[in-house]
Amino acid sequence: MTYEKLIETISEIVENEAITKEGLILVYELTPTNHKKMNEHLFYKSNDATAKFTPSDEFEVELGGILVKFIKKTED
């Protein structure tokens, strides 16, 4: 999952009037590498470049009125 793919997916949901968005929560379970990349990318999209990034195992953002939660997949 890339940031661009995430935005494309959210846009499709937001633009589709047949999908009820109220109370909608999307949950993505990402590999540790992809999770960290997404966590860092979204952190710097919403914070100053001088802010200190600290990775977290779970984080959530609101995009287009939809809550999106990211969980780091545990490696088997």
Coordinates of all heavy atoms in Angstrom, one line a residue:
M1 N 0.9 -1.2 0.0 CA 0.0 0.0 0.0 C 0.9 1.2 0.0 O 1.7 1.4 0.9 CB -0.9 0.0 1.2 CG -1.6 1.3 1.6 SD -3.1 1.7 0.6 CE -4.1 0.3 0.7
T2 N 0.7 2.1 -1.0 CA 1.4 3.3 -1.1 C 0.5 4.5 -0.7 O -0.8 4.3 -0.7 CB 2.0 3.6 -2.5 OG1 0.8 3.7 -3.4 CG2 2.9 2.5 -2.9
Y3 N 1.0 5.6 -0.4 CA 0.2 6.8 -0.1 C -0.7 7.1 -1.2 O -1.9 7.4 -1.0 CB 1.1 8.0 0.3 CG 0.3 9.2 0.5 CD1 -0.4 9.4 1.7 CD2 0.3 10.2 -0.4 CE1 -1.1 10.5 2.0 CE2 -0.5 11.4 -0.2 CZ -1.1 11.5 1.0 OH -1.9 12.7 1.3
E4 N -0.2 7.0 -2.4 CA -1.0 7.3 -3.6 C -2.2 6.4 -3.8 O -3.3 6.8 -4.1 CB -0.1 7.3 -4.9 CG 0.9 8.4 -5.0 CD 2.1 8.3 -4.0 OE1 2.4 7.1 -3.6 OE2 2.8 9.3 -3.8
K5 N -1.9 5.1 -3.5 CA -3.0 4.1 -3.6 C -4.0 4.3 -2.5 O -5.2 4.1 -2.7 CB -2.4 2.7 -3.5 CG -3.4 1.6 -3.7 CD -3.9 1.6 -5.2 CE -4.9 0.4 -5.4 NZ -5.5 0.6 -6.7
L6 N -3.6 4.7 -1.3 CA -4.5 5.0 -0.2 C -5.4 6.1 -0.6 O -6.6 6.1 -0.4 CB -3.7 5.4 1.0 CG -4.5 5.9 2.2 CD1 -5.4 4.8 2.8 CD2 -3.6 6.4 3.3
I7 N -4.8 7.2 -1.1 CA -5.6 8.4 -1.5 C -6.6 8.0 -2.6 O -7.8 8.4 -2.6 CB -4.7 9.6 -2.0 CG1 -3.9 10.0 -0.8 CG2 -5.5 10.7 -2.6 CD1 -4.7 10.5 0.4
E8 N -6.2 7.2 -3.6 CA -7.0 6.7 -4.7 C -8.2 5.9 -4.1 O -9.4 6.1 -4.5 CB -6.2 5.8 -5.6 CG -7.0 5.3 -6.8 CD -6.2 4.4 -7.7 OE1 -5.0 4.5 -7.8 OE2 -6.8 3.5 -8.3
T9 N -7.9 5.0 -3.2 CA -9.0 4.2 -2.5 C -10.0 5.1 -1.8 O -11.2 4.9 -1.9 CB -8.4 3.2 -1.6 OG1 -7.5 2.3 -2.3 CG2 -9.4 2.3 -0.9
I10 N -9.5 6.0 -1.0 CA -10.3 6.9 -0.2 C -11.2 7.7 -1.1 O -12.4 7.9 -0.9 CB -9.5 7.8 0.8 CG1 -8.8 6.9 1.8 CG2 -10.4 8.8 1.5 CD1 -9.6 6.1 2.7
S11 N -10.6 8.2 -2.2 CA -11.3 9.1 -3.1 C -12.5 8.3 -3.7 O -13.6 8.8 -3.9 CB -10.4 9.6 -4.2 OG -9.4 10.4 -3.7
E12 N -12.2 7.0 -4.1 CA -13.3 6.2 -4.7 C -14.5 6.1 -3.7 O -15.6 6.1 -4.1 CB -12.8 4.8 -5.0 CG -11.9 4.8 -6.2 CD -12.6 5.1 -7.5 OE1 -13.8 4.6 -7.7 OE2 -12.0 5.7 -8.4
I13 N -14.1 5.9 -2.4 CA -15.2 5.7 -1.4 C -15.9 7.0 -1.2 O -17.2 7.0 -1.2 CB -14.6 5.2 -0.1 CG1 -14.0 3.8 -0.2 CG2 -15.6 5.2 1.1 CD1 -13.2 3.3 0.9
V14 N -15.2 8.1 -1.1 CA -15.8 9.4 -0.8 C -16.8 9.8 -2.0 O -17.8 10.3 -1.8 CB -14.7 10.5 -0.6 CG1 -15.3 11.9 -0.6 CG2 -14.0 10.2 0.7
E15 N -16.3 9.5 -3.2 CA -17.1 9.9 -4.4 C -18.3 9.0 -4.7 O -19.2 9.4 -5.4 CB -16.2 10.0 -5.6 CG -15.2 11.1 -5.5 CD -14.1 11.1 -6.6 OE1 -14.3 10.3 -7.5 OE2 -13.1 11.8 -6.5
N16 N -18.3 7.8 -4.1 CA -19.4 6.9 -4.3 C -20.5 7.1 -3.3 O -20.4 6.8 -2.2 CB -18.9 5.4 -4.2 CG -19.9 4.4 -4.6 OD1 -21.1 4.6 -4.5 ND2 -19.4 3.3 -5.0
E17 N -21.6 7.7 -3.9 CA -22.7 8.1 -3.0 C -23.5 6.9 -2.5 O -24.3 7.0 -1.5 CB -23.7 9.0 -3.8 CG -23.1 10.4 -4.1 CD -24.0 11.3 -4.8 OE1 -25.2 11.0 -4.8 OE2 -23.5 12.3 -5.3
A18 N -23.3 5.7 -3.0 CA -23.9 4.5 -2.6 C -23.3 3.9 -1.3 O -23.9 3.1 -0.6 CB -23.9 3.4 -3.6
I19 N -22.1 4.5 -0.9 CA -21.4 4.0 0.3 C -21.7 5.0 1.4 O -21.5 6.2 1.3 CB -19.9 3.9 0.1 CG1 -19.6 2.9 -1.0 CG2 -19.2 3.5 1.4 CD1 -18.1 2.8 -1.4
T20 N -22.3 4.4 2.5 CA -22.5 5.2 3.7 C -21.2 5.5 4.4 O -20.5 4.5 4.8 CB -23.5 4.5 4.7 OG1 -24.7 4.3 3.9 CG2 -23.8 5.3 5.9
K21 N -20.9 6.7 4.6 CA -19.6 7.0 5.2 C -19.7 7.2 6.7 O -18.7 7.1 7.5 CB -19.0 8.3 4.6 CG -18.4 8.1 3.2 CD -19.4 8.1 2.2 CE -19.0 8.2 0.8 NZ -20.1 8.1 -0.1
E22 N -20.9 7.6 7.2 CA -21.0 7.8 8.7 C -20.6 6.6 9.5 O -21.2 5.5 9.2 CB -22.5 8.2 9.0 CG -22.7 8.6 10.4 CD -24.1 9.0 10.7 OE1 -24.8 9.4 9.8 OE2 -24.5 8.9 11.9
G23 N -19.7 6.7 10.4 CA -19.2 5.6 11.2 C -18.3 4.6 10.5 O -17.9 3.6 11.1
L24 N -17.9 4.9 9.2 CA -17.0 4.0 8.5 C -15.6 4.2 9.0 O -15.1 5.2 9.1 CB -17.1 4.4 7.0 CG -16.2 3.6 6.1 CD1 -16.6 2.1 6.1 CD2 -16.2 4.1 4.6
I25 N -15.0 3.0 9.3 CA -13.6 2.9 9.7 C -12.9 1.9 8.8 O -13.4 0.8 8.7 CB -13.5 2.5 11.2 CG1 -14.2 3.6 12.1 CG2 -12.0 2.4 11.5 CD1 -14.2 3.2 13.5
L26 N -11.9 2.3 8.2 CA -11.1 1.3 7.4 C -9.9 0.9 8.2 O -9.2 1.8 8.9 CB -10.6 1.9 6.1 CG -11.7 2.4 5.1 CD1 -11.0 3.0 3.9 CD2 -12.5 1.2 4.7
V27 N -9.5 -0.3 8.2 CA -8.4 -0.8 8.9 C -7.4 -1.5 7.9 O -7.9 -2.4 7.2 CB -8.8 -1.8 10.0 CG1 -7.5 -2.3 10.7 CG2 -9.7 -1.2 11.0
Y28 N -6.2 -1.1 7.9 CA -5.2 -1.7 7.1 C -4.1 -2.4 8.0 O -3.6 -1.7 8.9 CB -4.5 -0.7 6.1 CG -5.4 -0.3 5.0 CD1 -6.1 0.9 5.0 CD2 -5.5 -1.0 3.9 CE1 -6.8 1.4 4.0 CE2 -6.3 -0.6 2.8 CZ -7.0 0.6 2.9 OH -7.7 1.0 1.8
E29 N -3.8 -3.6 7.7 CA -2.7 -4.3 8.4 C -1.6 -4.4 7.4 O -1.7 -5.1 6.3 CB -3.2 -5.7 8.8 CG -2.2 -6.4 9.7 CD -2.7 -7.8 10.1 OE1 -3.2 -8.5 9.3 OE2 -2.5 -8.0 11.3
L30 N -0.5 -3.7 7.7 CA 0.6 -3.6 6.7 C 1.8 -4.3 7.3 O 2.0 -4.4 8.5 CB 1.0 -2.1 6.5 CG -0.2 -1.2 6.0 CD1 0.3 0.2 5.9 CD2 -0.6 -1.6 4.6
T31 N 2.7 -4.7 6.3 CA 4.0 -5.3 6.7 C 4.7 -4.3 7.5 O 4.5 -3.1 7.4 CB 4.8 -5.8 5.5 OG1 5.1 -4.6 4.8 CG2 4.0 -6.8 4.7
P32 N 5.6 -4.7 8.4 CA 6.4 -3.8 9.2 C 7.1 -2.7 8.3 O 7.1 -1.5 8.7 CB 7.4 -4.6 9.9 CG 6.7 -5.9 10.1 CD 6.0 -6.1 8.8
T33 N 7.6 -3.0 7.2 CA 8.3 -2.1 6.3 C 7.3 -1.1 5.8 O 7.5 0.2 5.8 CB 9.1 -2.8 5.2 OG1 10.0 -3.7 5.8 CG2 9.8 -1.8 4.3
N34 N 6.2 -1.5 5.2 CA 5.2 -0.6 4.6 C 4.5 0.2 5.7 O 4.2 1.3 5.4 CB 4.2 -1.4 3.8 CG 4.8 -1.9 2.5 OD1 5.8 -1.3 2.0 ND2 4.2 -2.9 1.9
H35 N 4.3 -0.4 6.8 CA 3.7 0.3 7.9 C 4.5 1.5 8.4 O 4.0 2.6 8.5 CB 3.5 -0.6 9.1 CG 2.8 0.0 10.3 ND1 3.4 0.7 11.3 CD2 1.5 0.0 10.6 CE1 2.5 1.1 12.1 NE2 1.3 0.8 11.8
K36 N 5.8 1.3 8.5 CA 6.7 2.4 8.9 C 6.8 3.5 7.8 O 6.7 4.7 8.2 CB 8.1 1.9 9.2 CG 9.1 3.0 9.7 CD 10.4 2.4 10.1 CE 11.3 3.5 10.7 NZ 12.2 4.1 9.8
K37 N 6.8 3.1 6.6 CA 6.8 4.1 5.5 C 5.5 4.9 5.5 O 5.6 6.1 5.4 CB 7.0 3.4 4.1 CG 8.3 2.8 3.8 CD 8.3 2.1 2.5 CE 9.6 1.4 2.2 NZ 9.6 0.7 0.9
M38 N 4.4 4.3 5.7 CA 3.1 5.0 5.7 C 3.0 5.9 6.9 O 2.6 7.0 6.9 CB 2.0 4.0 5.7 CG 0.6 4.7 5.6 SD 0.3 5.5 4.0 CE 0.0 4.1 2.9
N39 N 3.5 5.4 8.1 CA 3.4 6.1 9.3 C 4.3 7.4 9.2 O 3.8 8.5 9.5 CB 4.0 5.2 10.4 CG 3.8 5.7 11.8 OD1 4.4 5.2 12.8 ND2 3.0 6.8 12.1
E40 N 5.5 7.2 8.7 CA 6.4 8.4 8.5 C 5.8 9.4 7.5 O 5.8 10.6 7.7 CB 7.8 7.9 8.1 CG 8.8 8.9 8.2 CD 10.2 8.4 8.1 OE1 10.4 7.2 7.7 OE2 11.1 9.1 8.4
H41 N 5.3 8.9 6.4 CA 4.8 9.7 5.3 C 3.6 10.6 5.8 O 3.6 11.8 5.7 CB 4.4 8.9 4.1 CG 4.0 9.8 2.9 ND1 4.8 10.2 2.0 CD2 2.7 10.2 2.6 CE1 4.2 10.9 1.1 NE2 2.9 11.0 1.4
L42 N 2.7 9.9 6.5 CA 1.5 10.6 7.0 C 1.9 11.6 8.1 O 1.3 12.6 8.3 CB 0.4 9.6 7.4 CG -0.2 8.9 6.3 CD1 -1.1 7.8 6.8 CD2 -1.0 9.8 5.4
F43 N 2.9 11.2 8.9 CA 3.4 12.1 10.0 C 3.9 13.4 9.4 O 3.5 14.4 9.9 CB 4.5 11.4 10.8 CG 5.1 12.2 11.9 CD1 4.5 12.3 13.1 CD2 6.2 13.0 11.7 CE1 5.0 13.1 14.1 CE2 6.8 13.8 12.6 CZ 6.2 13.9 13.9
Y44 N 4.7 13.3 8.4 CA 5.3 14.5 7.9 C 4.3 15.3 7.0 O 4.5 16.5 6.8 CB 6.6 14.2 7.1 CG 7.7 13.9 8.0 CD1 8.3 12.7 8.1 CD2 8.1 14.9 9.0 CE1 9.3 12.4 9.0 CE2 9.2 14.6 9.9 CZ 9.8 13.4 9.9 OH 10.8 13.1 10.7
K45 N 3.2 14.7 6.6 CA 2.1 15.4 5.8 C 1.4 16.3 6.8 O 0.8 17.3 6.4 CB 1.1 14.4 5.2 CG 1.6 13.8 3.9 CD 1.3 14.8 2.8 CE 1.3 14.1 1.5 NZ 1.4 15.2 0.4
S46 N 1.3 15.9 8.1 CA 0.5 16.6 9.0 C 1.3 17.3 10.1 O 0.8 18.0 11.0 CB -0.5 15.7 9.7 OG 0.2 14.7 10.4
N47 N 2.7 17.3 10.0 CA 3.5 17.9 11.0 C 4.6 18.7 10.3 O 4.9 18.4 9.1 CB 4.2 16.9 12.0 CG 3.2 16.3 12.9 OD1 2.7 16.9 13.8 ND2 2.8 15.0 12.6
D48 N 5.2 19.6 11.0 CA 6.3 20.4 10.5 C 7.5 19.5 10.3 O 7.7 18.5 11.0 CB 6.7 21.4 11.6 CG 7.7 22.4 11.1 OD1 7.4 23.4 10.5 OD2 8.9 22.1 11.4
A49 N 8.3 19.8 9.3 CA 9.5 19.0 8.9 C 10.5 18.8 10.0 O 11.3 17.9 10.0 CB 10.1 19.6 7.6
T50 N 10.5 19.7 11.0 CA 11.4 19.7 12.1 C 10.9 18.8 13.2 O 11.6 18.5 14.2 CB 11.8 21.1 12.6 OG1 10.5 21.7 13.1 CG2 12.4 21.9 11.5
A51 N 9.7 18.4 13.1 CA 9.1 17.5 14.2 C 9.8 16.2 14.2 O 10.3 15.7 13.2 CB 7.6 17.3 13.9
K52 N 9.9 15.6 15.4 CA 10.6 14.3 15.6 C 9.6 13.2 15.3 O 8.7 13.0 16.1 CB 11.3 14.2 16.9 CG 12.1 12.9 17.2 CD 12.7 12.9 18.5 CE 13.5 11.7 18.9 NZ 13.4 10.5 18.1
F53 N 9.9 12.3 14.4 CA 9.1 11.2 14.1 C 9.5 10.0 15.0 O 10.6 9.6 15.1 CB 9.3 10.8 12.6 CG 8.6 9.5 12.3 CD1 7.2 9.4 12.2 CD2 9.4 8.3 12.0 CE1 6.6 8.1 11.9 CE2 8.8 7.1 11.7 CZ 7.4 7.0 11.7
T54 N 8.5 9.4 15.6 CA 8.6 8.2 16.4 C 7.6 7.2 15.9 O 6.4 7.4 16.0 CB 8.4 8.5 17.9 OG1 9.2 9.6 18.3 CG2 8.6 7.3 18.8
P55 N 8.1 6.1 15.3 CA 7.2 5.1 14.8 C 6.3 4.5 15.9 O 6.6 4.4 17.0 CB 8.1 4.0 14.2 CG 9.5 4.5 14.3 CD 9.5 5.7 15.2
S56 N 5.0 4.1 15.5 CA 4.1 3.5 16.4 C 3.5 2.3 15.7 O 3.4 2.2 14.5 CB 3.0 4.5 16.9 OG 2.3 4.9 15.7
D57 N 3.1 1.3 16.5 CA 2.6 0.0 16.0 C 1.2 0.2 15.4 O 0.8 -0.5 14.5 CB 2.6 -1.1 17.0 CG 4.0 -1.6 17.4 OD1 4.9 -1.3 16.6 OD2 4.1 -2.3 18.4
E58 N 0.5 1.2 15.9 CA -0.9 1.5 15.4 C -1.0 3.0 15.4 O -0.6 3.7 16.3 CB -2.0 1.0 16.3 CG -2.0 -0.5 16.3 CD -3.3 -1.1 17.1 OE1 -4.2 -0.3 17.4 OE2 -3.3 -2.2 17.5
F59 N -1.7 3.5 14.3 CA -2.0 4.9 14.2 C -3.2 5.1 13.3 O -3.6 4.2 12.6 CB -0.8 5.8 13.7 CG -0.4 5.5 12.3 CD1 -0.9 6.2 11.2 CD2 0.4 4.4 12.0 CE1 -0.5 6.0 9.9 CE2 0.8 4.1 10.7 CZ 0.3 4.9 9.6
E60 N -3.8 6.2 13.5 CA -5.0 6.5 12.6 C -5.0 7.9 12.2 O -4.5 8.8 12.8 CB -6.3 6.1 13.4 CG -6.4 6.7 14.8 CD -7.6 6.1 15.5 OE1 -7.8 4.9 15.6 OE2 -8.4 6.9 16.1
V61 N -5.7 8.1 11.0 CA -5.8 9.4 10.4 C -7.3 9.5 9.9 O -7.9 8.5 9.6 CB -4.8 9.7 9.3 CG1 -3.4 9.7 9.8 CG2 -4.9 8.6 8.2
E62 N -7.7 10.7 9.7 CA -9.0 10.9 9.1 C -8.8 11.5 7.7 O -8.1 12.6 7.6 CB -9.9 11.9 9.9 CG -11.3 12.0 9.3 CD -12.2 12.9 10.2 OE1 -12.1 12.8 11.4 OE2 -13.0 13.6 9.6
L63 N -9.3 10.9 6.7 CA -9.1 11.3 5.3 C -10.5 11.4 4.6 O -11.2 10.4 4.6 CB -8.2 10.4 4.5 CG -6.8 10.2 5.0 CD1 -6.1 9.0 4.3 CD2 -6.0 11.5 4.8
G64 N -10.8 12.5 4.2 CA -12.1 12.7 3.5 C -13.3 12.3 4.4 O -14.3 11.9 3.9
G65 N -13.1 12.5 5.7 CA -14.2 12.2 6.7 C -14.3 10.7 7.0 O -15.2 10.3 7.7
I66 N -13.3 10.0 6.6 CA -13.3 8.5 6.9 C -12.1 8.2 7.8 O -10.9 8.7 7.5 CB -13.1 7.7 5.6 CG1 -14.3 7.9 4.7 CG2 -13.0 6.2 5.9 CD1 -14.2 7.4 3.3
L67 N -12.3 7.5 8.9 CA -11.2 7.2 9.8 C -10.5 6.0 9.2 O -11.1 5.0 8.9 CB -11.8 6.8 11.2 CG -10.7 6.5 12.2 CD1 -9.9 7.8 12.5 CD2 -11.4 6.1 13.5
V68 N -9.2 6.1 9.1 CA -8.3 5.0 8.6 C -7.3 4.7 9.6 O -6.6 5.5 10.1 CB -7.6 5.5 7.3 CG1 -6.8 4.3 6.7 CG2 -8.6 6.0 6.2
K69 N -7.4 3.4 10.0 CA -6.5 2.9 11.1 C -5.4 2.0 10.4 O -5.8 1.1 9.6 CB -7.3 2.1 12.1 CG -6.5 1.7 13.3 CD -7.4 1.1 14.4 CE -6.6 0.7 15.6 NZ -7.5 0.2 16.6
F70 N -4.2 2.1 10.9 CA -3.1 1.3 10.3 C -2.5 0.5 11.5 O -2.2 1.0 12.6 CB -2.0 2.1 9.7 CG -2.5 2.9 8.5 CD1 -3.0 4.2 8.7 CD2 -2.4 2.4 7.3 CE1 -3.5 4.9 7.6 CE2 -2.8 3.1 6.2 CZ -3.4 4.4 6.4
I71 N -2.4 -0.8 11.3 CA -1.8 -1.7 12.3 C -0.6 -2.4 11.6 O -0.7 -2.8 10.5 CB -2.9 -2.8 12.7 CG1 -4.1 -2.1 13.2 CG2 -2.3 -3.8 13.6 CD1 -5.3 -3.1 13.5
K72 N 0.5 -2.5 12.4 CA 1.6 -3.2 11.9 C 1.4 -4.7 12.1 O 1.1 -5.2 13.2 CB 2.9 -2.7 12.7 CG 4.2 -3.4 12.2 CD 5.4 -2.8 12.9 CE 5.6 -3.2 14.3 NZ 6.8 -2.7 14.9
K73 N 1.6 -5.4 11.0 CA 1.4 -6.8 10.9 C 2.6 -7.4 11.7 O 3.7 -7.0 11.6 CB 1.4 -7.3 9.5 CG 1.2 -8.8 9.3 CD 1.3 -9.1 7.8 CE -0.1 -9.5 7.3 NZ -0.1 -9.9 5.9
T74 N 2.2 -8.4 12.6 CA 3.3 -9.1 13.3 C 3.9 -10.2 12.3 O 3.1 -10.8 11.6 CB 2.8 -9.8 14.5 OG1 1.7 -10.7 14.2 CG2 2.3 -8.8 15.5
E75 N 5.2 -10.2 12.3 CA 5.8 -11.2 11.4 C 5.7 -12.6 11.9 O 5.8 -12.8 13.1 CB 7.3 -10.8 11.2 CG 7.5 -9.5 10.6 CD 8.9 -9.2 10.3 OE1 9.4 -9.7 9.3 OE2 9.5 -8.4 11.0
D76 N 5.4 -13.5 11.0 CA 5.2 -14.9 11.4 C 6.5 -15.7 11.5 O 7.4 -15.5 10.9 CB 4.3 -15.7 10.4 CG 2.9 -15.0 10.3 OD1 2.4 -14.5 11.4 OD2 2.4 -15.0 9.2

